[in-house]
Amino acid sequence: DAKTTQPNSMESNEEEPVHLPCNHSTISGTDYIHWYRQLPSQGPEYVIHGLTSNVNNRMASLAIAEDRKSSTLILHRATLRDAAVYYCILRGNSGGSNYKLTFGKGTLLTVNP
Amino acid sequence: DAGVIQSPRHEVTEMGQEVTLRCKPISGHNSLFWYRQTMMRGLELLIYFNNNVPIDDSGMPEDRFSAKMPNASFSTLKIQPSEPRDSAVYFCASSLVREATEAFFGQGTRLTVV
């Protein structure tokens, strides 16, 4: 399975931007980069995904390095509700065994008021 | 759609008993995943199905665990016999089998084996 590396924890202040890094040096050409987060006592929820280009949605932005060996999830203005564990996951082509979502340890984001 | 529905939400059982966890995926989704989460081991993928067929069950811990998907709208994860070390939160997730789609997770079943 393709592996990702994330810091164990990060801290931010409310209403400030947060940049969550992820390294994935063994990424293959067909792997998509997915981000999920897990709020306390809830199941994981999808945040964003991308392949090569930077992506924006209502929750966050995803910046992907040109060589695709790293990416950064950007929360533009952190709120207390963004405190969660954030997972960076590589997901392969649909239908095969590498299509599965394999979670690592993720980054625990703490947001200070 | 009500999302992925898991039942029961909480289950307490005695060691040695059979436990069955249930999952109803989002209508139209054809890929289903079972996960187990503990503090020690994090989120572990147990098994995943495409179009009701198990594709990868390499995460199933041992023969006491079995999973079935008899149709597109229902899946079960069974533990027989259960042991205290099976205590965990079990999540079910579903998605479309298509490039770059998101998976939707249920609220989980918290299993306690005493």
PDB file of all heavy atoms in Angstrom, chain B residues 61-76:
ATOM      1  N   PRO B  61      -9.193 -10.025  11.056  1.00  0.00           N
ATOM      2  CA  PRO B  61      -8.176 -10.492  11.995  1.00  0.00           C
ATOM      3  C   PRO B  61      -8.057 -12.005  12.103  1.00  0.00           C
ATOM      4  O   PRO B  61      -6.968 -12.516  12.237  1.00  0.00           O
ATOM      5  CB  PRO B  61      -8.590  -9.852  13.318  1.00  0.00           C
ATOM      6  CG  PRO B  61      -9.965  -9.347  13.132  1.00  0.00           C
ATOM      7  CD  PRO B  61     -10.220  -9.195  11.705  1.00  0.00           C
ATOM      8  N   GLU B  62      -9.106 -12.725  12.064  1.00  0.00           N
ATOM      9  CA  GLU B  62      -9.025 -14.172  12.198  1.00  0.00           C
ATOM     10  C   GLU B  62     -10.359 -14.797  11.815  1.00  0.00           C
ATOM     11  O   GLU B  62     -11.314 -14.100  11.475  1.00  0.00           O
ATOM     12  CB  GLU B  62      -8.635 -14.545  13.637  1.00  0.00           C
ATOM     13  CG  GLU B  62      -9.460 -13.853  14.694  1.00  0.00           C
ATOM     14  CD  GLU B  62      -8.783 -13.880  16.056  1.00  0.00           C
ATOM     15  OE1 GLU B  62      -8.998 -14.865  16.791  1.00  0.00           O
ATOM     16  OE2 GLU B  62      -8.068 -12.923  16.374  1.00  0.00           O
ATOM     17  N   ASP B  63     -10.397 -16.122  11.894  1.00  0.00           N
ATOM     18  CA  ASP B  63     -11.587 -16.836  11.425  1.00  0.00           C
ATOM     19  C   ASP B  63     -12.829 -16.532  12.230  1.00  0.00           C
ATOM     20  O   ASP B  63     -13.946 -16.831  11.794  1.00  0.00           O
ATOM     21  CB  ASP B  63     -11.334 -18.352  11.461  1.00  0.00           C
ATOM     22  CG  ASP B  63     -10.309 -18.758  10.424  1.00  0.00           C
ATOM     23  OD1 ASP B  63     -10.034 -17.944   9.526  1.00  0.00           O
ATOM     24  OD2 ASP B  63      -9.795 -19.884  10.518  1.00  0.00           O
ATOM     25  N   ARG B  64     -12.687 -15.925  13.361  1.00  0.00           N
ATOM     26  CA  ARG B  64     -13.871 -15.594  14.167  1.00  0.00           C
ATOM     27  C   ARG B  64     -14.680 -14.485  13.510  1.00  0.00           C
ATOM     28  O   ARG B  64     -15.837 -14.283  13.831  1.00  0.00           O
ATOM     29  CB  ARG B  64     -13.453 -15.152  15.567  1.00  0.00           C
ATOM     30  CG  ARG B  64     -12.744 -16.229  16.379  1.00  0.00           C
ATOM     31  CD  ARG B  64     -12.458 -15.756  17.810  1.00  0.00           C
ATOM     32  NE  ARG B  64     -11.580 -14.594  17.845  1.00  0.00           N
ATOM     33  CZ  ARG B  64     -11.978 -13.358  18.135  1.00  0.00           C
ATOM     34  NH1 ARG B  64     -13.250 -13.109  18.411  1.00  0.00           N
ATOM     35  NH2 ARG B  64     -11.110 -12.363  18.155  1.00  0.00           N
ATOM     36  N   PHE B  65     -14.051 -13.768  12.597  1.00  0.00           N
ATOM     37  CA  PHE B  65     -14.715 -12.658  11.921  1.00  0.00           C
ATOM     38  C   PHE B  65     -15.170 -13.101  10.530  1.00  0.00           C
ATOM     39  O   PHE B  65     -14.417 -13.741   9.798  1.00  0.00           O
ATOM     40  CB  PHE B  65     -13.756 -11.465  11.752  1.00  0.00           C
ATOM     41  CG  PHE B  65     -13.500 -10.694  13.009  1.00  0.00           C
ATOM     42  CD1 PHE B  65     -12.776 -11.245  14.049  1.00  0.00           C
ATOM     43  CD2 PHE B  65     -13.968  -9.396  13.135  1.00  0.00           C
ATOM     44  CE1 PHE B  65     -12.538 -10.511  15.217  1.00  0.00           C
ATOM     45  CE2 PHE B  65     -13.724  -8.657  14.288  1.00  0.00           C
ATOM     46  CZ  PHE B  65     -13.016  -9.228  15.324  1.00  0.00           C
ATOM     47  N   SER B  66     -16.395 -12.730  10.185  1.00  0.00           N
ATOM     48  CA  SER B  66     -16.881 -12.989   8.836  1.00  0.00           C
ATOM     49  C   SER B  66     -17.787 -11.834   8.415  1.00  0.00           C
ATOM     50  O   SER B  66     -18.446 -11.219   9.244  1.00  0.00           O
ATOM     51  CB  SER B  66     -17.644 -14.317   8.769  1.00  0.00           C
ATOM     52  OG  SER B  66     -18.782 -14.286   9.602  1.00  0.00           O
ATOM     53  N   ALA B  67     -17.789 -11.558   7.127  1.00  0.00           N
ATOM     54  CA  ALA B  67     -18.621 -10.469   6.593  1.00  0.00           C
ATOM     55  C   ALA B  67     -19.334 -10.949   5.348  1.00  0.00           C
ATOM     56  O   ALA B  67     -18.777 -11.721   4.563  1.00  0.00           O
ATOM     57  CB  ALA B  67     -17.775  -9.240   6.267  1.00  0.00           C
ATOM     58  N   LYS B  68     -20.558 -10.481   5.201  1.00  0.00           N
ATOM     59  CA  LYS B  68     -21.354 -10.858   4.043  1.00  0.00           C
ATOM     60  C   LYS B  68     -22.036  -9.622   3.475  1.00  0.00           C
ATOM     61  O   LYS B  68     -22.299  -8.652   4.183  1.00  0.00           O
ATOM     62  CB  LYS B  68     -22.419 -11.892   4.423  1.00  0.00           C
ATOM     63  CG  LYS B  68     -21.866 -13.230   4.833  1.00  0.00           C
ATOM     64  CD  LYS B  68     -22.994 -14.215   5.136  1.00  0.00           C
ATOM     65  CE  LYS B  68     -22.436 -15.572   5.536  1.00  0.00           C
ATOM     66  NZ  LYS B  68     -23.506 -16.539   5.871  1.00  0.00           N
ATOM     67  N   MET B  69     -22.327  -9.704   2.194  1.00  0.00           N
ATOM     68  CA  MET B  69     -23.110  -8.653   1.552  1.00  0.00           C
ATOM     69  C   MET B  69     -24.083  -9.351   0.612  1.00  0.00           C
ATOM     70  O   MET B  69     -23.792  -9.534  -0.584  1.00  0.00           O
ATOM     71  CB  MET B  69     -22.218  -7.672   0.814  1.00  0.00           C
ATOM     72  CG  MET B  69     -22.952  -6.424   0.408  1.00  0.00           C
ATOM     73  SD  MET B  69     -21.838  -5.077   0.002  1.00  0.00           S
ATOM     74  CE  MET B  69     -23.046  -3.761  -0.239  1.00  0.00           C
ATOM     75  N   PRO B  70     -25.209  -9.803   1.109  1.00  0.00           N
ATOM     76  CA  PRO B  70     -26.145 -10.586   0.299  1.00  0.00           C
ATOM     77  C   PRO B  70     -26.808  -9.785  -0.818  1.00  0.00           C
ATOM     78  O   PRO B  70     -27.227 -10.368  -1.816  1.00  0.00           O
ATOM     79  CB  PRO B  70     -27.176 -11.060   1.328  1.00  0.00           C
ATOM     80  CG  PRO B  70     -27.080 -10.087   2.457  1.00  0.00           C
ATOM     81  CD  PRO B  70     -25.639  -9.638   2.497  1.00  0.00           C
ATOM     82  N   ASN B  71     -26.889  -8.466  -0.652  1.00  0.00           N
ATOM     83  CA  ASN B  71     -27.441  -7.623  -1.716  1.00  0.00           C
ATOM     84  C   ASN B  71     -26.849  -6.222  -1.581  1.00  0.00           C
ATOM     85  O   ASN B  71     -26.103  -5.941  -0.626  1.00  0.00           O
ATOM     86  CB  ASN B  71     -28.973  -7.599  -1.661  1.00  0.00           C
ATOM     87  CG  ASN B  71     -29.491  -7.132  -0.317  1.00  0.00           C
ATOM     88  OD1 ASN B  71     -29.219  -6.020   0.109  1.00  0.00           O
ATOM     89  ND2 ASN B  71     -30.232  -8.004   0.368  1.00  0.00           N
ATOM     90  N   ALA B  72     -27.188  -5.381  -2.517  1.00  0.00           N
ATOM     91  CA  ALA B  72     -26.563  -4.051  -2.582  1.00  0.00           C
ATOM     92  C   ALA B  72     -26.962  -3.132  -1.443  1.00  0.00           C
ATOM     93  O   ALA B  72     -26.372  -2.067  -1.267  1.00  0.00           O
ATOM     94  CB  ALA B  72     -26.904  -3.398  -3.916  1.00  0.00           C
ATOM     95  N   SER B  73     -27.962  -3.512  -0.670  1.00  0.00           N
ATOM     96  CA  SER B  73     -28.450  -2.590   0.353  1.00  0.00           C
ATOM     97  C   SER B  73     -28.227  -3.089   1.781  1.00  0.00           C
ATOM     98  O   SER B  73     -28.772  -2.525   2.731  1.00  0.00           O
ATOM     99  CB  SER B  73     -29.943  -2.320   0.138  1.00  0.00           C
ATOM    100  OG  SER B  73     -30.661  -3.521   0.168  1.00  0.00           O
ATOM    101  N   PHE B  74     -27.407  -4.133   1.934  1.00  0.00           N
ATOM    102  CA  PHE B  74     -27.251  -4.671   3.279  1.00  0.00           C
ATOM    103  C   PHE B  74     -25.946  -5.453   3.413  1.00  0.00           C
ATOM    104  O   PHE B  74     -25.578  -6.226   2.527  1.00  0.00           O
ATOM    105  CB  PHE B  74     -28.439  -5.596   3.589  1.00  0.00           C
ATOM    106  CG  PHE B  74     -28.460  -6.135   4.991  1.00  0.00           C
ATOM    107  CD1 PHE B  74     -28.622  -5.293   6.076  1.00  0.00           C
ATOM    108  CD2 PHE B  74     -28.325  -7.501   5.221  1.00  0.00           C
ATOM    109  CE1 PHE B  74     -28.649  -5.785   7.370  1.00  0.00           C
ATOM    110  CE2 PHE B  74     -28.352  -8.003   6.516  1.00  0.00           C
ATOM    111  CZ  PHE B  74     -28.522  -7.142   7.587  1.00  0.00           C
ATOM    112  N   SER B  75     -25.289  -5.247   4.554  1.00  0.00           N
ATOM    113  CA  SER B  75     -24.086  -6.018   4.851  1.00  0.00           C
ATOM    114  C   SER B  75     -24.041  -6.312   6.345  1.00  0.00           C
ATOM    115  O   SER B  75     -24.564  -5.541   7.160  1.00  0.00           O
ATOM    116  CB  SER B  75     -22.824  -5.245   4.442  1.00  0.00           C
ATOM    117  OG  SER B  75     -21.652  -5.959   4.784  1.00  0.00           O
ATOM    118  N   THR B  76     -23.425  -7.438   6.682  1.00  0.00           N
ATOM    119  CA  THR B  76     -23.244  -7.795   8.086  1.00  0.00           C
ATOM    120  C   THR B  76     -21.800  -8.133   8.360  1.00  0.00           C
ATOM    121  O   THR B  76     -21.075  -8.627   7.489  1.00  0.00           O
ATOM    122  CB  THR B  76     -24.108  -9.006   8.481  1.00  0.00           C
ATOM    123  OG1 THR B  76     -23.753 -10.124   7.656  1.00  0.00           O
ATOM    124  CG2 THR B  76     -25.585  -8.721   8.347  1.00  0.00           C
TER     125      THR B  76
END
